[in-house]
Amino acid sequence: RGIEDGKGEAVVRTVDVLIFDKSAHPLLLESHVGSNIKQTVSGTDYLVTFTVDVLVSLPDAGSVVVVANAATEVASAISSTPSKKKAEILSALKFKTSPVNGRYEWNVSKVNYKPIPMYGEAAVDGLAPGKKISGLELYRMLARIDVENEVNGSLFQLQEIYIVNHRTGGYIAPAW
């Protein structure tokens, strides 16, 4: 379902930035909330720019995770993960819907529209005040997947499909 108004399914209203170290099992160094969020109105790329003030150098930073439209879920994932391990925080990033009139539906009306959570990640070699990161792609947490195999079974055989999101909720960041 395409939603045209306000950049529709690509709208970004909130941005959370998580900075992890370079260790084998990365740990959370800092988390920030993006400000000055600007998004292009036309075109197909829906470029979003925002600002995060990193006030000190973080030479051990190894990755930056950006989560859009899920501020409550990010805060909950961080607070519920005492170890602050990246894998545990990302697996705790789950979005849940609640039933309305007994049905689970995403609010796509123009009133109280709920933007779709998105996730993106970039590798970095340390961070310092003023450093810019660009080109990071955000991926929506949900998609419709239709599978139809019209190829002869001896040429191509579909063996398995993983569905990680359901209409009642799902992972914001990839579960794997």
Side-chain angles (χ1 to χ4, degrees), residues 3 13 27 32 42 44-45 49 51 64 66-67 74 89 94 104 106 122 128 142 162 165 167 173:
I3 306 165
R13 292 199 181 139
L27 298 173
H32 298 274
S42 61
T44 58
D45 61 357
T49 58
T51 303
V64 173
V66 175
V67 181
V74 170
I89 290 173
K94 295 178 185 169
Y104 287 89
W106 198 274
L142 55 107
Y162 296 97
N165 293 324
R167 65 181 181 172

Side-chain angles (χ1 to χ4, degrees), residues 28-94:
L28 180 67
L29 293 173
E30 292 187 6
S31 64
H32 298 274
V33 175
S35 60
N36 302 320
I37 300 171
K38 296 178 182 133
Q39 188 168 9
T40 57
V41 177
S42 61
T44 58
D45 61 357
Y46 298 109
L47 180 67
V48 177
T49 58
F50 58 91
T51 303
V52 169
D53 293 326
V54 178
L55 302 177
V56 297
S57 290
L58 299 170
D60 292 337
S63 64
V64 173
V65 169
V66 175
V67 181
N69 303 328
T72 303
E73 291 79 8
V74 170
S76 175
I78 291 171
S79 67
S80 68
T81 310
S83 71
K84 301 304 180 218
K85 289 182 180 176
K86 179 180 178 181
E88 292 177 14
I89 290 173
L90 295 185
S91 68
L93 276 174
K94 295 178 185 169

Side-chain angles (χ1 to χ4, degrees), residues 14-18 65-71 74 90 93 117-120 138 172:
T14 65
V15 173
D16 287 272
V17 177
L18 308 176
V65 169
V66 175
V67 181
N69 303 328
V74 170
L90 295 185
L93 276 174
M118 293 181 253
Y119 162 87
L138 294 175
I172 294 170

Side-chain angles (χ1 to χ4, degrees), residues 150-166:
E150 294 181 3
V151 178
N152 181 318
S154 64
L155 297 175
F156 176 80
Q157 182 179 7
L158 184 64
Q159 294 184 352
E160 56 190 333
I161 296 174
Y162 296 97
I163 299 176
V164 296
N165 293 324
H166 302 276

